[in-house]
Amino acid sequence: MKSTSQRRLPAERGRPAYRTLEGWALGVLIEQQSVTECEHHGHRRDRSDPDAWNRAREEAWRNPFPGTTPEACLSALEEVVRSIGGYCPDC
């Protein structure tokens, strides 16, 4: 029997970076700096930056989540932004 240091974990093959459309939408918003994270508490905050929002929408339109339409991706972006406030509730 191999020890734990000698055992190899199976490589993850074909697993997408995001499992849900909402997770993907949050990732796009973070990448485009439309949403930031509170340094102290980790809550997501909407930056209210129209340029960042437009970049996120353009990115979602050009590169939609696999298996969905660009319209569904834009809808998911809007839903995620509505669920995020402009401030950290713990600050």
Side-chain angles (χ1 to χ4, degrees):
M1 183 159 91
K2 293 182 178 182
S3 70
T4 56
S5 63
Q6 295 174 338
R7 237 184 295 167
R8 287 192 209 171
L9 296 175
E12 294 182 45
R13 293 180 216 155
R15 183 174 169 187
Y18 298 103
R19 294 183 184 188
T20 65
L21 181 57
E22 291 77 18
W24 172 86
L26 180 60
V28 169
L29 291 167
I30 291 170
E31 286 174 4
Q32 300 304 321
Q33 300 174 349
S34 180
V35 171
T36 60
E37 184 177 282
C38 172
E39 302 82 28
H40 304 289
H41 303 105
H43 293 287
R44 305 285 184 212
R45 297 182 298 192
D46 181 8
R47 288 188 53 229
S48 300
D49 180 358
D51 292 329
W53 171 246
N54 288 335
R55 285 193 309 268
R57 288 177 53 86
E58 289 172 8
E59 180 66 23
W61 187 263
R62 282 194 310 259
N63 300 311
F65 184 69
T68 63
T69 64
E71 292 85 3
C73 292
L74 292 178
S75 177
L77 281 180
E78 291 171 3
E79 189 171 326
V80 169
V81 166
R82 277 194 302 259
S83 70
I84 297 172
Y87 64 93
C88 174
D90 292 333
C91 284

